[in-house]
Each structure stands twice: as C-alpha cells, then as structure tokens.
Amino acid sequence: EAQVTQNPRYLITVTGKKLTVTCSQNMNHEYMSWYRQDPGLGLRQIYYSMNVEVTDKGDVPEGYKVSRKEKRNFPLILESPSPNQTSLYFCASSLSGGGSYEQYFGPGTRLTVT
Amino acid sequence: GQQLNQSPQSMFIQEGEDVSMNCTSSSIFNTWLWYKQEPGEGPVLLIALYKAGELTSNGRLTAQFGITRKDSFLNISASIPSDVGIYFCAGLARGAGGTSYGKLTFGQGTILTVHP
C-alpha cells in the first residue's frame, strides 16, 4: 500500500531534550516536506526537500533541522525543543515539487513539549 | 513569509445548501491547491489549479484560479453531511533559490459543519 508513515504518532517530552520524528514514504517520491498545524494558523511549512541532499527552508524553519540522505526518508530533528514547538506535525511527499502532483500526507505526529 | 487569508473561518449550513469559500494573498502564486482535512487525518488534495483564470470541477466541487494570481475560490454545491471537515487553500511558489517550486503556503482553513 502506497503511504507516508510517521513515528512516533504521539510524543510528550521536556524542554531541551533532543528528539527526532521520522518520516518515510514508499512511493519513490522525489519531493518531501514537513508542516506544523496550529489552531487558527492552518498548516505552515517548516522545511522541504526537492530530492536527495536538496533541502530548503519553508515559512517557519527556526528551531528545526532536516536531512535527506536517502529518497524514502526525511526526518525532522528538534535539537532543543521548546514549549512553542508543541504542535501537530505532518510529513508529506509527492512525485515532484512542481505542484503538478498530489501531495500525500502522513497521519500526523502530536508533539507536546513541557 | 507569504500569507494567505482564507475566509470564512467557519460555516454552519443545512444539508443541500451551496458553500463558497475563498483565499486571497498579497503575493502571486503559480499554483493554487484546495485540500480537505477530516478529524485525525492529514489533508487530502481536492482540486489543483495551474493557470490564471482556470475553472476546474471535481464532482460537486468547483474552484477557480483568480486572474490576478492572488486569489482563488472553492464552491461546494448541494452539500451533504460527509462534506464536514476543514478546507484549506494552498499556494505554491518558487523556492528561495528562484529556480524550483516547492514552497507551499496554506490558508488558515475553513471549518465546515453540515446539519442534516
């Protein structure tokens, strides 16, 4: 089954404790992206990747890191999480980043930073 | 960064009514997309628009790419209870390098409730 998977689905952590949220897709998609969703703000793009080893900042990249060492995986790293990073995070992928192809979203990761 | 203003924020309608929502931006977008999100799930693409002035339908849904490339609207005709969810517009623009697409900006969402 074609899908985007994220792990973990739920995470409660404390301020400053490094964490990684994994994202994997099995559709051989070139484009992958991370978003955070907050009430009243919609989805905001954190980082995206047009292909392996090619990443670029979205609208809200501060406090996050990403890497794209292989096509199927695009982990999101929070080196020193803070409470304002409490949010619902979505990973997405599409065949390419040109907008002509549907973005498939993962199920979401709900992160709470205390 | 770029911002999209989506309205209305929420709508409460009766089954069978038509629905209209729109997005406006201070910046030009090259592609407009409309998504629907149901509780506990990620957004799902409904309609994609690629050219200014384009009018596209998907069943009971119709969306248009504004001539100025700074706005788009989505209409849902004859609403049914399963139309309930959050609808997002999104605009696709070139990345910081200016040579490739990839930077997607979402509106704040319209929460749609349909009463049977």
Side-chain angles (χ1 to χ4, degrees), chain A residues 9 31 35 37 40-43 45 48 50 56-59 88 90 97-103 105-107, chain B residues 1-2 31 33 35 37 40-45 50 88 92 95-97 100-108:
Chain A
R9 293 291 313 278
Y31 178 92
Y35 302 88
Q37 183 174 18
L41 297 177
L43 286 93
Q45 192 172 40
Y48 63 94
M50 299 293 282
D56 207 349
K57 296 178 180 178
D59 288 318
L88 178 59
F90 287 101
S100 301
Y101 301 100
E102 179 174 356
Q103 282 200 25
F105 281 79
Chain B
Q2 296 166 311
T31 299
L33 306 166
Y35 286 85
Q37 184 181 27
E41 299 182 8
V44 174
L45 183 67
Y50 304 110
F88 292 100
L92 187 66
S100 66
Y101 292 98
K103 191 169 182 297
L104 192 62
T105 301
F106 279 79
Q108 304 96 323

mmCIF file of all heavy atoms in Angstrom, chain A residues 9 31 35 37 40-43 45 48 50 56-59 88 90 97-103 105-107, chain B residues 1-2 31 33 35 37 40-45 50 88 92 95-97 100-108:
data_model
loop_
_atom_site.group_PDB
_atom_site.id
_atom_site.type_symbol
_atom_site.label_atom_id
_atom_site.label_comp_id
_atom_site.label_asym_id
_atom_site.label_seq_id
_atom_site.Cartn_x
_atom_site.Cartn_y
_atom_site.Cartn_z
ATOM 1 N N ARG A 9 3.588 8.654 16.690
ATOM 2 C CA ARG A 9 2.334 9.360 16.447
ATOM 3 C C ARG A 9 2.059 10.356 17.569
ATOM 4 O O ARG A 9 1.447 11.402 17.331
ATOM 5 C CB ARG A 9 1.176 8.365 16.370
ATOM 6 C CG ARG A 9 1.221 7.427 15.167
ATOM 7 C CD ARG A 9 0.958 8.177 13.855
ATOM 8 N NE ARG A 9 -0.195 9.049 13.947
ATOM 9 C CZ ARG A 9 -1.453 8.637 13.800
ATOM 10 N NH1 ARG A 9 -1.716 7.358 13.560
ATOM 11 N NH2 ARG A 9 -2.452 9.496 13.892
ATOM 12 N N TYR A 31 9.885 14.576 -3.866
ATOM 13 C CA TYR A 31 9.612 15.724 -3.001
ATOM 14 C C TYR A 31 9.058 15.269 -1.660
ATOM 15 O O TYR A 31 8.161 14.431 -1.594
ATOM 16 C CB TYR A 31 8.600 16.638 -3.695
ATOM 17 C CG TYR A 31 8.176 17.856 -2.916
ATOM 18 C CD1 TYR A 31 8.837 19.069 -3.056
ATOM 19 C CD2 TYR A 31 7.077 17.804 -2.056
ATOM 20 C CE1 TYR A 31 8.436 20.194 -2.354
ATOM 21 C CE2 TYR A 31 6.675 18.926 -1.348
ATOM 22 C CZ TYR A 31 7.347 20.112 -1.508
ATOM 23 O OH TYR A 31 6.953 21.221 -0.813
ATOM 24 N N TYR A 35 5.319 19.975 7.819
ATOM 25 C CA TYR A 35 4.427 21.071 8.186
ATOM 26 C C TYR A 35 4.090 20.954 9.660
ATOM 27 O O TYR A 35 4.104 19.868 10.224
ATOM 28 C CB TYR A 35 3.102 21.003 7.415
ATOM 29 C CG TYR A 35 3.249 21.044 5.918
ATOM 30 C CD1 TYR A 35 3.441 19.876 5.192
ATOM 31 C CD2 TYR A 35 3.193 22.253 5.232
ATOM 32 C CE1 TYR A 35 3.574 19.905 3.812
ATOM 33 C CE2 TYR A 35 3.320 22.294 3.853
ATOM 34 C CZ TYR A 35 3.509 21.115 3.159
ATOM 35 O OH TYR A 35 3.653 21.156 1.792
ATOM 36 N N GLN A 37 0.833 22.162 12.254
ATOM 37 C CA GLN A 37 -0.534 22.670 12.223
ATOM 38 C C GLN A 37 -0.921 23.164 13.609
ATOM 39 O O GLN A 37 -0.844 22.410 14.584
ATOM 40 C CB GLN A 37 -1.521 21.583 11.771
ATOM 41 C CG GLN A 37 -2.947 22.082 11.650
ATOM 42 C CD GLN A 37 -3.877 21.046 11.081
ATOM 43 O OE1 GLN A 37 -3.585 19.861 11.066
ATOM 44 N NE2 GLN A 37 -5.031 21.485 10.587
ATOM 45 N N GLY A 40 -6.112 27.913 14.142
ATOM 46 C CA GLY A 40 -6.235 29.266 13.615
ATOM 47 C C GLY A 40 -5.123 29.691 12.683
ATOM 48 O O GLY A 40 -5.182 30.768 12.090
ATOM 49 N N LEU A 41 -4.105 28.840 12.524
ATOM 50 C CA LEU A 41 -2.970 29.209 11.670
ATOM 51 C C LEU A 41 -2.831 28.304 10.461
ATOM 52 O O LEU A 41 -1.976 28.522 9.601
ATOM 53 C CB LEU A 41 -1.668 29.168 12.474
ATOM 54 C CG LEU A 41 -1.569 30.153 13.633
ATOM 55 C CD1 LEU A 41 -0.256 29.945 14.380
ATOM 56 C CD2 LEU A 41 -1.655 31.592 13.119
ATOM 57 N N GLY A 42 -3.644 27.281 10.368
ATOM 58 C CA GLY A 42 -3.532 26.358 9.251
ATOM 59 C C GLY A 42 -2.248 25.543 9.328
ATOM 60 O O GLY A 42 -1.697 25.323 10.396
ATOM 61 N N LEU A 43 -1.778 25.115 8.182
ATOM 62 C CA LEU A 43 -0.516 24.369 8.116
ATOM 63 C C LEU A 43 0.579 25.313 7.652
ATOM 64 O O LEU A 43 0.410 26.033 6.664
ATOM 65 C CB LEU A 43 -0.624 23.200 7.141
ATOM 66 C CG LEU A 43 -1.438 22.007 7.608
ATOM 67 C CD1 LEU A 43 -2.874 22.133 7.160
ATOM 68 C CD2 LEU A 43 -0.840 20.718 7.069
ATOM 69 N N GLN A 45 4.634 25.481 6.487
ATOM 70 C CA GLN A 45 5.715 24.635 6.008
ATOM 71 C C GLN A 45 7.001 24.921 6.776
ATOM 72 O O GLN A 45 7.416 26.075 6.910
ATOM 73 C CB GLN A 45 5.927 24.850 4.513
ATOM 74 C CG GLN A 45 6.828 23.824 3.868
ATOM 75 C CD GLN A 45 6.851 23.965 2.361
ATOM 76 O OE1 GLN A 45 6.870 25.067 1.826
ATOM 77 N NE2 GLN A 45 6.835 22.848 1.664
ATOM 78 N N TYR A 48 11.361 21.709 3.248
ATOM 79 C CA TYR A 48 11.016 20.788 2.188
ATOM 80 C C TYR A 48 12.281 20.320 1.484
ATOM 81 O O TYR A 48 13.353 20.927 1.623
ATOM 82 C CB TYR A 48 10.019 21.406 1.197
ATOM 83 C CG TYR A 48 10.521 22.608 0.432
ATOM 84 C CD1 TYR A 48 11.092 22.474 -0.829
ATOM 85 C CD2 TYR A 48 10.391 23.893 0.960
ATOM 86 C CE1 TYR A 48 11.537 23.587 -1.536
ATOM 87 C CE2 TYR A 48 10.824 25.004 0.263
ATOM 88 C CZ TYR A 48 11.388 24.850 -0.985
ATOM 89 O OH TYR A 48 11.833 25.948 -1.681
ATOM 90 N N MET A 50 13.499 18.838 -2.371
ATOM 91 C CA MET A 50 13.147 18.545 -3.761
ATOM 92 C C MET A 50 13.724 17.208 -4.208
ATOM 93 O O MET A 50 13.243 16.612 -5.179
ATOM 94 C CB MET A 50 13.654 19.659 -4.681
ATOM 95 C CG MET A 50 13.066 21.034 -4.380
ATOM 96 S SD MET A 50 11.301 21.148 -4.733
ATOM 97 C CE MET A 50 11.352 21.310 -6.514
ATOM 98 N N ASP A 56 15.377 22.870 1.616
ATOM 99 C CA ASP A 56 15.205 24.324 1.626
ATOM 100 C C ASP A 56 14.228 24.694 2.730
ATOM 101 O O ASP A 56 13.393 23.872 3.142
ATOM 102 C CB ASP A 56 14.692 24.816 0.271
ATOM 103 C CG ASP A 56 15.094 26.260 -0.007
ATOM 104 O OD1 ASP A 56 15.575 26.939 0.922
ATOM 105 O OD2 ASP A 56 14.930 26.711 -1.158
ATOM 106 N N LYS A 57 14.354 25.918 3.210
ATOM 107 C CA LYS A 57 13.502 26.384 4.293
ATOM 108 C C LYS A 57 12.106 26.712 3.803
ATOM 109 O O LYS A 57 11.919 27.258 2.713
ATOM 110 C CB LYS A 57 14.115 27.645 4.927
ATOM 111 C CG LYS A 57 15.457 27.414 5.596
ATOM 112 C CD LYS A 57 16.012 28.714 6.155
ATOM 113 C CE LYS A 57 17.356 28.493 6.819
ATOM 114 N NZ LYS A 57 17.931 29.762 7.335
ATOM 115 N N GLY A 58 11.128 26.396 4.663
ATOM 116 C CA GLY A 58 9.771 26.840 4.425
ATOM 117 C C GLY A 58 9.529 28.147 5.138
ATOM 118 O O GLY A 58 10.435 28.981 5.244
ATOM 119 N N ASP A 59 8.331 28.327 5.670
ATOM 120 C CA ASP A 59 7.989 29.584 6.331
ATOM 121 C C ASP A 59 8.426 29.654 7.787
ATOM 122 O O ASP A 59 8.644 30.734 8.316
ATOM 123 C CB ASP A 59 6.475 29.814 6.253
ATOM 124 C CG ASP A 59 6.023 30.189 4.856
ATOM 125 O OD1 ASP A 59 6.739 30.996 4.215
ATOM 126 O OD2 ASP A 59 4.998 29.687 4.399
ATOM 127 N N LEU A 88 0.942 19.878 16.065
ATOM 128 C CA LEU A 88 0.660 18.683 15.285
ATOM 129 C C LEU A 88 1.498 18.774 14.016
ATOM 130 O O LEU A 88 1.398 19.758 13.271
ATOM 131 C CB LEU A 88 -0.833 18.617 14.948
ATOM 132 C CG LEU A 88 -1.316 17.443 14.094
ATOM 133 C CD1 LEU A 88 -1.015 16.116 14.771
ATOM 134 C CD2 LEU A 88 -2.826 17.575 13.848
ATOM 135 N N PHE A 90 2.929 17.263 10.347
ATOM 136 C CA PHE A 90 2.631 16.401 9.209
ATOM 137 C C PHE A 90 3.820 16.349 8.256
ATOM 138 O O PHE A 90 4.418 17.377 7.943
ATOM 139 C CB PHE A 90 1.413 16.911 8.434
ATOM 140 C CG PHE A 90 0.111 16.687 9.129
ATOM 141 C CD1 PHE A 90 -0.511 17.726 9.805
ATOM 142 C CD2 PHE A 90 -0.501 15.446 9.096
ATOM 143 C CE1 PHE A 90 -1.725 17.522 10.443
ATOM 144 C CE2 PHE A 90 -1.712 15.239 9.733
ATOM 145 C CZ PHE A 90 -2.330 16.285 10.410
ATOM 146 N N GLY A 97 8.183 18.438 -6.859
ATOM 147 C CA GLY A 97 7.767 19.627 -6.126
ATOM 148 C C GLY A 97 7.135 20.684 -6.998
ATOM 149 O O GLY A 97 6.847 21.776 -6.548
ATOM 150 N N GLY A 98 6.882 20.339 -8.252
ATOM 151 C CA GLY A 98 6.407 21.354 -9.183
ATOM 152 C C GLY A 98 4.954 21.699 -9.057
ATOM 153 O O GLY A 98 4.438 22.517 -9.803
ATOM 154 N N GLY A 99 4.245 21.091 -8.136
ATOM 155 C CA GLY A 99 2.850 21.425 -7.946
ATOM 156 C C GLY A 99 1.914 20.649 -8.842
ATOM 157 O O GLY A 99 0.701 20.711 -8.687
ATOM 158 N N SER A 100 2.444 19.903 -9.791
ATOM 159 C CA SER A 100 1.579 19.161 -10.699
ATOM 160 C C SER A 100 1.141 17.829 -10.130
ATOM 161 O O SER A 100 0.322 17.146 -10.719
ATOM 162 C CB SER A 100 2.314 18.906 -12.019
ATOM 163 O OG SER A 100 2.703 20.109 -12.613
ATOM 164 N N TYR A 101 1.685 17.476 -9.011
ATOM 165 C CA TYR A 101 1.408 16.172 -8.449
ATOM 166 C C TYR A 101 0.864 16.294 -7.035
ATOM 167 O O TYR A 101 1.287 17.128 -6.258
ATOM 168 C CB TYR A 101 2.676 15.321 -8.451
ATOM 169 C CG TYR A 101 3.247 15.138 -9.833
ATOM 170 C CD1 TYR A 101 4.320 15.913 -10.248
ATOM 171 C CD2 TYR A 101 2.699 14.230 -10.722
ATOM 172 C CE1 TYR A 101 4.834 15.770 -11.522
ATOM 173 C CE2 TYR A 101 3.210 14.084 -11.989
ATOM 174 C CZ TYR A 101 4.271 14.847 -12.385
ATOM 175 O OH TYR A 101 4.775 14.702 -13.642
ATOM 176 N N GLU A 102 -0.052 15.401 -6.710
ATOM 177 C CA GLU A 102 -0.699 15.429 -5.416
ATOM 178 C C GLU A 102 0.291 15.161 -4.306
ATOM 179 O O GLU A 102 1.142 14.285 -4.405
ATOM 180 C CB GLU A 102 -1.791 14.374 -5.370
ATOM 181 C CG GLU A 102 -2.514 14.297 -4.040
ATOM 182 C CD GLU A 102 -3.679 13.344 -4.087
ATOM 183 O OE1 GLU A 102 -3.966 12.817 -5.157
ATOM 184 O OE2 GLU A 102 -4.305 13.137 -3.032
ATOM 185 N N GLN A 103 0.177 15.937 -3.217
ATOM 186 C CA GLN A 103 0.976 15.674 -2.027
ATOM 187 C C GLN A 103 0.217 14.700 -1.147
ATOM 188 O O GLN A 103 -0.947 14.912 -0.830
ATOM 189 C CB GLN A 103 1.240 16.969 -1.248
ATOM 190 C CG GLN A 103 2.329 17.819 -1.868
ATOM 191 C CD GLN A 103 2.931 18.809 -0.884
ATOM 192 O OE1 GLN A 103 2.904 18.611 0.321
ATOM 193 N NE2 GLN A 103 3.485 19.882 -1.415
ATOM 194 N N PHE A 105 -0.149 13.093 2.488
ATOM 195 C CA PHE A 105 0.209 13.439 3.857
ATOM 196 C C PHE A 105 0.247 12.196 4.743
ATOM 197 O O PHE A 105 -0.537 11.256 4.558
ATOM 198 C CB PHE A 105 -0.793 14.430 4.431
ATOM 199 C CG PHE A 105 -0.575 15.845 3.967
ATOM 200 C CD1 PHE A 105 -1.004 16.252 2.716
ATOM 201 C CD2 PHE A 105 0.068 16.763 4.772
ATOM 202 C CE1 PHE A 105 -0.794 17.555 2.268
ATOM 203 C CE2 PHE A 105 0.278 18.081 4.344
ATOM 204 C CZ PHE A 105 -0.154 18.463 3.093
ATOM 205 N N GLY A 106 1.158 12.214 5.703
ATOM 206 C CA GLY A 106 1.205 11.186 6.720
ATOM 207 C C GLY A 106 0.086 11.389 7.732
ATOM 208 O O GLY A 106 -0.664 12.362 7.645
ATOM 209 N N PRO A 107 -0.024 10.511 8.735
ATOM 210 C CA PRO A 107 -1.120 10.574 9.704
ATOM 211 C C PRO A 107 -0.940 11.637 10.778
ATOM 212 O O PRO A 107 -1.873 11.920 11.526
ATOM 213 C CB PRO A 107 -1.114 9.185 10.325
ATOM 214 C CG PRO A 107 0.304 8.740 10.216
ATOM 215 C CD PRO A 107 0.818 9.316 8.930
ATOM 216 N N GLY B 1 7.187 35.670 5.698
ATOM 217 C CA GLY B 1 6.873 34.861 4.527
ATOM 218 C C GLY B 1 5.532 35.238 3.921
ATOM 219 O O GLY B 1 4.829 36.103 4.420
ATOM 220 N N GLN B 2 5.194 34.545 2.845
ATOM 221 C CA GLN B 2 3.917 34.819 2.203
ATOM 222 C C GLN B 2 2.775 34.387 3.115
ATOM 223 O O GLN B 2 2.908 33.446 3.889
ATOM 224 C CB GLN B 2 3.834 34.067 0.878
ATOM 225 C CG GLN B 2 4.851 34.524 -0.121
ATOM 226 C CD GLN B 2 4.973 33.558 -1.278
ATOM 227 O OE1 GLN B 2 5.096 32.371 -1.076
ATOM 228 N NE2 GLN B 2 4.948 34.078 -2.485
ATOM 229 N N THR B 31 0.557 28.176 -8.573
ATOM 230 C CA THR B 31 -0.414 27.086 -8.496
ATOM 231 C C THR B 31 -1.259 27.293 -7.258
ATOM 232 O O THR B 31 -0.740 27.700 -6.217
ATOM 233 C CB THR B 31 0.315 25.720 -8.390
ATOM 234 O OG1 THR B 31 1.116 25.509 -9.548
ATOM 235 C CG2 THR B 31 -0.684 24.574 -8.248
ATOM 236 N N LEU B 33 -4.028 25.255 -4.748
ATOM 237 C CA LEU B 33 -4.498 23.923 -4.396
ATOM 238 C C LEU B 33 -5.569 24.042 -3.310
ATOM 239 O O LEU B 33 -5.508 24.938 -2.471
ATOM 240 C CB LEU B 33 -3.330 23.079 -3.859
ATOM 241 C CG LEU B 33 -2.088 22.984 -4.763
ATOM 242 C CD1 LEU B 33 -0.908 22.429 -3.981
ATOM 243 C CD2 LEU B 33 -2.383 22.108 -5.970
ATOM 244 N N TYR B 35 -7.432 21.635 -0.332
ATOM 245 C CA TYR B 35 -7.360 20.394 0.418
ATOM 246 C C TYR B 35 -8.535 20.297 1.389
ATOM 247 O O TYR B 35 -9.073 21.311 1.839
ATOM 248 C CB TYR B 35 -6.068 20.343 1.256
ATOM 249 C CG TYR B 35 -4.801 20.097 0.489
ATOM 250 C CD1 TYR B 35 -4.107 21.141 -0.099
ATOM 251 C CD2 TYR B 35 -4.275 18.817 0.372
ATOM 252 C CE1 TYR B 35 -2.928 20.919 -0.789
ATOM 253 C CE2 TYR B 35 -3.090 18.585 -0.304
ATOM 254 C CZ TYR B 35 -2.430 19.645 -0.882
ATOM 255 O OH TYR B 35 -1.264 19.414 -1.564
ATOM 256 N N GLN B 37 -9.377 18.288 5.152
ATOM 257 C CA GLN B 37 -8.841 17.509 6.254
ATOM 258 C C GLN B 37 -9.979 17.023 7.137
ATOM 259 O O GLN B 37 -10.795 17.823 7.603
ATOM 260 C CB GLN B 37 -7.855 18.334 7.083
ATOM 261 C CG GLN B 37 -7.181 17.555 8.196
ATOM 262 C CD GLN B 37 -6.230 18.411 9.017
ATOM 263 O OE1 GLN B 37 -6.394 19.610 9.115
ATOM 264 N NE2 GLN B 37 -5.225 17.786 9.609
ATOM 265 N N GLY B 40 -8.361 13.720 12.687
ATOM 266 C CA GLY B 40 -7.376 12.673 12.906
ATOM 267 C C GLY B 40 -6.598 12.248 11.678
ATOM 268 O O GLY B 40 -5.841 11.280 11.727
ATOM 269 N N GLU B 41 -6.773 12.991 10.593
ATOM 270 C CA GLU B 41 -6.084 12.616 9.354
ATOM 271 C C GLU B 41 -5.330 13.799 8.771
ATOM 272 O O GLU B 41 -5.560 14.947 9.139
ATOM 273 C CB GLU B 41 -7.084 12.074 8.335
ATOM 274 C CG GLU B 41 -7.820 10.837 8.798
ATOM 275 C CD GLU B 41 -8.769 10.303 7.745
ATOM 276 O OE1 GLU B 41 -8.735 10.799 6.612
ATOM 277 O OE2 GLU B 41 -9.550 9.401 8.069
ATOM 278 N N GLY B 42 -4.452 13.493 7.816
ATOM 279 C CA GLY B 42 -3.770 14.555 7.098
ATOM 280 C C GLY B 42 -4.645 15.075 5.972
ATOM 281 O O GLY B 42 -5.630 14.445 5.577
ATOM 282 N N PRO B 43 -4.323 16.257 5.435
ATOM 283 C CA PRO B 43 -5.104 16.830 4.337
ATOM 284 C C PRO B 43 -5.054 15.958 3.083
ATOM 285 O O PRO B 43 -4.051 15.296 2.818
ATOM 286 C CB PRO B 43 -4.414 18.175 4.081
ATOM 287 C CG PRO B 43 -3.676 18.476 5.336
ATOM 288 C CD PRO B 43 -3.260 17.158 5.886
ATOM 289 N N VAL B 44 -6.133 16.012 2.330
ATOM 290 C CA VAL B 44 -6.228 15.282 1.068
ATOM 291 C C VAL B 44 -6.534 16.286 -0.038
ATOM 292 O O VAL B 44 -7.418 17.127 0.111
ATOM 293 C CB VAL B 44 -7.327 14.203 1.133
ATOM 294 C CG1 VAL B 44 -7.507 13.545 -0.232
ATOM 295 C CG2 VAL B 44 -6.981 13.154 2.178
ATOM 296 N N LEU B 45 -5.819 16.198 -1.151
ATOM 297 C CA LEU B 45 -6.000 17.151 -2.250
ATOM 298 C C LEU B 45 -7.357 16.954 -2.920
ATOM 299 O O LEU B 45 -7.743 15.832 -3.266
ATOM 300 C CB LEU B 45 -4.889 16.982 -3.283
ATOM 301 C CG LEU B 45 -4.914 17.960 -4.451
ATOM 302 C CD1 LEU B 45 -4.625 19.378 -3.960
ATOM 303 C CD2 LEU B 45 -3.899 17.553 -5.523
ATOM 304 N N TYR B 50 -3.659 25.462 -12.181
ATOM 305 C CA TYR B 50 -2.312 25.761 -12.654
ATOM 306 C C TYR B 50 -2.198 27.027 -13.490
ATOM 307 O O TYR B 50 -1.085 27.497 -13.742
ATOM 308 C CB TYR B 50 -1.784 24.581 -13.468
ATOM 309 C CG TYR B 50 -1.810 23.279 -12.711
ATOM 310 C CD1 TYR B 50 -2.695 22.265 -13.064
ATOM 311 C CD2 TYR B 50 -0.969 23.076 -11.621
ATOM 312 C CE1 TYR B 50 -2.727 21.076 -12.360
ATOM 313 C CE2 TYR B 50 -0.997 21.885 -10.913
ATOM 314 C CZ TYR B 50 -1.878 20.890 -11.289
ATOM 315 O OH TYR B 50 -1.915 19.717 -10.593
ATOM 316 N N PHE B 88 -8.719 23.702 3.281
ATOM 317 C CA PHE B 88 -7.562 24.591 3.195
ATOM 318 C C PHE B 88 -7.271 24.949 1.748
ATOM 319 O O PHE B 88 -7.280 24.086 0.871
ATOM 320 C CB PHE B 88 -6.299 23.918 3.748
ATOM 321 C CG PHE B 88 -6.301 23.675 5.222
ATOM 322 C CD1 PHE B 88 -6.589 22.423 5.736
ATOM 323 C CD2 PHE B 88 -5.980 24.693 6.104
ATOM 324 C CE1 PHE B 88 -6.576 22.189 7.100
ATOM 325 C CE2 PHE B 88 -5.967 24.473 7.470
ATOM 326 C CZ PHE B 88 -6.268 23.219 7.967
ATOM 327 N N LEU B 92 1.356 27.607 -4.228
ATOM 328 C CA LEU B 92 2.699 27.087 -4.484
ATOM 329 C C LEU B 92 3.503 28.144 -5.217
ATOM 330 O O LEU B 92 3.060 28.678 -6.235
ATOM 331 C CB LEU B 92 2.618 25.816 -5.327
ATOM 332 C CG LEU B 92 3.918 25.029 -5.552
ATOM 333 C CD1 LEU B 92 4.404 24.447 -4.231
ATOM 334 C CD2 LEU B 92 3.700 23.931 -6.558
ATOM 335 N N GLY B 95 10.891 28.439 -4.734
ATOM 336 C CA GLY B 95 11.697 28.441 -3.525
ATOM 337 C C GLY B 95 12.622 29.626 -3.478
ATOM 338 O O GLY B 95 12.666 30.447 -4.393
ATOM 339 N N ALA B 96 13.402 29.713 -2.417
ATOM 340 C CA ALA B 96 14.269 30.868 -2.196
ATOM 341 C C ALA B 96 15.285 31.032 -3.318
ATOM 342 O O ALA B 96 15.656 32.134 -3.687
ATOM 343 C CB ALA B 96 14.990 30.729 -0.854
ATOM 344 N N GLY B 97 15.681 29.909 -3.906
ATOM 345 C CA GLY B 97 16.661 29.993 -4.985
ATOM 346 C C GLY B 97 16.077 30.523 -6.268
ATOM 347 O O GLY B 97 16.811 30.900 -7.180
ATOM 348 N N SER B 100 13.216 26.683 -8.541
ATOM 349 C CA SER B 100 12.387 25.497 -8.441
ATOM 350 C C SER B 100 11.203 25.765 -7.549
ATOM 351 O O SER B 100 11.237 26.633 -6.685
ATOM 352 C CB SER B 100 13.211 24.333 -7.874
ATOM 353 O OG SER B 100 13.589 24.609 -6.545
ATOM 354 N N TYR B 101 10.134 25.029 -7.783
ATOM 355 C CA TYR B 101 8.963 25.118 -6.936
ATOM 356 C C TYR B 101 9.218 24.325 -5.661
ATOM 357 O O TYR B 101 10.213 23.657 -5.523
ATOM 358 C CB TYR B 101 7.745 24.545 -7.665
ATOM 359 C CG TYR B 101 7.310 25.368 -8.836
ATOM 360 C CD1 TYR B 101 7.692 25.030 -10.126
ATOM 361 C CD2 TYR B 101 6.517 26.485 -8.653
ATOM 362 C CE1 TYR B 101 7.283 25.785 -11.205
ATOM 363 C CE2 TYR B 101 6.105 27.241 -9.731
ATOM 364 C CZ TYR B 101 6.484 26.889 -10.998
ATOM 365 O OH TYR B 101 6.092 27.629 -12.068
ATOM 366 N N GLY B 102 8.276 24.391 -4.770
ATOM 367 C CA GLY B 102 8.396 23.578 -3.571
ATOM 368 C C GLY B 102 7.874 24.245 -2.337
ATOM 369 O O GLY B 102 7.470 23.581 -1.404
ATOM 370 N N LYS B 103 7.820 25.567 -2.317
ATOM 371 C CA LYS B 103 7.404 26.265 -1.110
ATOM 372 C C LYS B 103 5.893 26.424 -1.141
ATOM 373 O O LYS B 103 5.343 27.151 -1.950
ATOM 374 C CB LYS B 103 8.084 27.630 -1.026
ATOM 375 C CG LYS B 103 7.926 28.338 0.299
ATOM 376 C CD LYS B 103 8.857 29.536 0.373
ATOM 377 C CE LYS B 103 8.743 30.236 1.704
ATOM 378 N NZ LYS B 103 7.390 30.779 1.920
ATOM 379 N N LEU B 104 5.225 25.709 -0.260
ATOM 380 C CA LEU B 104 3.772 25.681 -0.221
ATOM 381 C C LEU B 104 3.270 26.443 0.994
ATOM 382 O O LEU B 104 3.706 26.178 2.107
ATOM 383 C CB LEU B 104 3.304 24.231 -0.181
ATOM 384 C CG LEU B 104 1.829 23.937 -0.423
ATOM 385 C CD1 LEU B 104 1.414 24.386 -1.810
ATOM 386 C CD2 LEU B 104 1.573 22.449 -0.254
ATOM 387 N N THR B 105 2.360 27.387 0.772
ATOM 388 C CA THR B 105 1.783 28.184 1.847
ATOM 389 C C THR B 105 0.304 27.872 1.957
ATOM 390 O O THR B 105 -0.419 27.926 0.953
ATOM 391 C CB THR B 105 1.977 29.688 1.567
ATOM 392 O OG1 THR B 105 3.369 29.967 1.447
ATOM 393 C CG2 THR B 105 1.408 30.524 2.699
ATOM 394 N N PHE B 106 -0.160 27.556 3.187
ATOM 395 C CA PHE B 106 -1.557 27.220 3.419
ATOM 396 C C PHE B 106 -2.318 28.401 4.025
ATOM 397 O O PHE B 106 -1.753 29.207 4.764
ATOM 398 C CB PHE B 106 -1.664 26.040 4.400
ATOM 399 C CG PHE B 106 -1.448 24.699 3.769
ATOM 400 C CD1 PHE B 106 -0.168 24.248 3.484
ATOM 401 C CD2 PHE B 106 -2.519 23.881 3.479
ATOM 402 C CE1 PHE B 106 0.040 23.008 2.908
ATOM 403 C CE2 PHE B 106 -2.323 22.632 2.904
ATOM 404 C CZ PHE B 106 -1.044 22.196 2.626
ATOM 405 N N GLY B 107 -3.618 28.454 3.719
ATOM 406 C CA GLY B 107 -4.506 29.371 4.420
ATOM 407 C C GLY B 107 -4.830 28.818 5.799
ATOM 408 O O GLY B 107 -4.428 27.706 6.156
ATOM 409 N N GLN B 108 -5.572 29.607 6.585
ATOM 410 C CA GLN B 108 -5.860 29.227 7.972
ATOM 411 C C GLN B 108 -6.922 28.132 8.070
ATOM 412 O O GLN B 108 -7.095 27.527 9.116
ATOM 413 C CB GLN B 108 -6.336 30.449 8.773
ATOM 414 C CG GLN B 108 -5.370 31.612 8.754
ATOM 415 C CD GLN B 108 -5.731 32.630 7.682
ATOM 416 O OE1 GLN B 108 -6.177 32.272 6.597
ATOM 417 N NE2 GLN B 108 -5.524 33.891 7.995
#
